[in-house]
Amino acid sequence: MTPTFTLADGTPLPAVGLGTVKAHGEDMTATVGSALDAGYRLIDTALRYETEGGVGDAVRASSVSRDDILVTTKIPGRHHGYDEAKESVRLSLANLGLEQIDLLLIHWPLPKVDKYVDTWRSMIDMQKDGLVKSIGVSNFTEAHLDRIAQETGVLPVVNQVELHPYFPQADLRAYHAEHGIVTESWSPLGRGSELLKLAPIADAAAAHDVSAGQVVLRWHHQLGAVPLPKSSNPDRQRQNLDIFGFELTDAEVSAISSLERGRIWDQDPDTYEEF
Ligand SMILES: NC(=O)C1=CN([C@@H]2O[C@H](COP(=O)(O)OP(=O)(O)OC[C@H]3O[C@@H](n4cnc5c(N)ncnc54)[C@H](OP(=O)(O)O)[C@@H]3O)[C@@H](O)[C@H]2O)C=CC1
Ligand SMILES: O=C(O)C(=O)[C@@H](O)[C@H](O)C(=O)CO
């Protein structure tokens, strides 16, 4: 069984989840189905990915109990605002074919649009109404988190952010730890880039007789973050979940963190917009 973190609202969150940004032509129902068979219990989707249908089909078809699966989805920029957020959830529930969203996130803060506080208020109310179990955010900076805390008194239980060896996010992780927010890592493998071939990662893989991908995902775990690797390949899915049988040394963790050079895609949450 995959270990879990406990969210501030008491919900257990699996320590690794499956990302579902779709490769061209991919059958997401098959991808999520094989992941559930492999032991994944946390599935990350978004209205914007257009993969909610495949995720929901796989969850409903699976022999794994619905209660044991945690489905995350996200409110896109086009649905920021109090009423718009409710419409977003109505669409997501219909796409997923599920009664409740387990973890709902604001996908990006879009500070220039300046509606993320209203969106957050709507999510607080939807949680009270039982449409949504846990509420969190994605791509929020410390300033965005401070603002929703000040204006609503409610902190997110999760902040899902870009995090990989090129961008370890030490300051934001420290803020999260101080405020009881669990860090989720998006693009945890740097999208399977040349990053996986770099010396500190390849050396640790050889030392522990595991793959480079497993080393990077274990590095996330030892930083206290929950990686959401995407793979449609059943062998890599199993490998990406199998990171709890070895431990990186402090020196290996530091060497991997020292690869830091910044965001890969130049998506600064203060300025980046997508709808
Ligand atoms: N909140 C946000 O703003 C964002 C959230 N996300 C979420 O994070 C998830 C993961 O991020 P993503 O950008 O997909 O990138 P990842 O870092 O997860 O990389 C995915 C790529 O790596 C390959 N891969 C998977 N496992 C391995 C392995 N062990 N060794 C080598 N290559 C591997 C995959 O190919 P293959 O399928 O063939 O295995 C795929 O091409 C997304 O799917 C999405 O759910 C992503 C971006 C932004
Ligand atoms: O995949 C996501 O969740 C996103 O927010 C995307 O915008 C992602 O960052 C991307 O692919 C941008 O090119």
Side-chain angles (χ1 to χ4, degrees):
M1 273 256 301
T2 307
T4 55
F5 288 88
T6 303
L7 299 178
D9 63 12
T11 304
L13 184 80
V16 176
L18 180 80
T20 70
V21 167
K22 191 164 66 169
H24 184 66
E26 187 176 330
D27 177 350
M28 195 46 70
T29 309
T31 291
V32 176
S34 63
L36 290 170
D37 290 345
Y40 286 78
R41 296 295 178 264
L42 170 61
I43 312 291
D44 184 76
T45 182
L47 188 69
R48 203 168 176 279
Y49 301 164
E50 300 183 353
T51 53
E52 289 175 322
V55 170
D57 288 347
V59 167
R60 282 182 278 100
S62 175
S63 58
V64 179
S65 162
R66 169 71 185 99
D67 292 342
D68 293 336
I69 303 171
L70 199 152
V71 176
T72 303
T73 196
K74 314 188 189 88
I75 298 177
R78 62 181 177 273
H79 288 138
H80 276 213
Y82 188 90
D83 294 333
E84 293 87 341
K86 292 196 170 181
E87 173 63 7
S88 198
V89 165
R90 194 190 63 71
L91 290 170
S92 288
L93 285 170
N95 290 339
L96 289 161
L98 300 175
E99 299 286 315
Q100 189 186 44
I101 291 166
D102 301 306
L103 173 60
L104 178 69
L105 309 180
I106 300 178
H107 203 146
W108 287 89
L110 307 182
K112 280 189 272 178
V113 173
D114 197 21
K115 287 189 181 170
Y116 67 82
V117 179
D118 285 344
T119 309
W120 185 243
R121 282 206 178 91
S122 183
M123 291 165 68
I124 294 168
D125 287 348
M126 286 190 275
Q127 185 180 38
K128 285 182 190 145
D129 293 343
L131 281 178
V132 174
K133 195 165 175 214
S134 297
I135 53 173
V137 296
S138 177
N139 299 303
F140 273 45
T141 65
E142 288 93 325
H144 306 139
L145 293 166
D146 281 343
R147 183 161 168 218
I148 56 171
Q150 277 157 15
E151 296 199 25
T152 71
V154 180
L155 272 169
V157 293
V158 159
N159 189 15
Q160 182 185 122
V161 295
E162 180 176 352
L163 205 164
H164 41 67
Y166 285 150
F167 196 49
Q169 296 257 37
D171 291 346
L172 187 57
R173 283 189 289 107
Y175 177 106
H176 289 168
E178 194 185 324
H179 292 85
I181 299 169
V182 170
T183 307
E184 288 188 338
S185 311
W186 63 254
S187 294
L189 298 166
R191 283 188 197 154
S193 60
E194 88 293 347
L195 163 68
L196 296 177
K197 301 192 183 98
L198 297 179
I201 295 169
D203 292 351
H208 295 279
D209 194 21
V210 294
S211 74
Q214 285 172 301
V215 165
V216 172
L217 296 171
R218 178 73 202 186
W219 170 85
H220 286 269
H221 184 64
Q222 289 185 215
L223 295 185
V226 173
L228 304 169
K230 182 265 161 186
S231 181
S232 51
N233 175 295
D235 287 338
R236 281 192 289 279
Q237 287 180 343
R238 277 192 289 276
Q239 199 188 100
N240 292 347
L241 204 54
D242 183 16
I243 60 162
F244 303 104
F246 68 102
E247 185 164 358
L248 300 172
T249 64
D250 290 346
E252 286 167 333
V253 170
S254 299
I256 296 169
S257 300
S258 71
L259 295 171
E260 176 161 18
R261 65 180 198 194
R263 301 178 194 282
I264 299 183
W265 292 282
D266 197 26
Q267 290 174 290
D268 178 348
D270 275 326
T271 50
Y272 179 73
E273 295 194 319
E274 63 174 40
F275 295 89

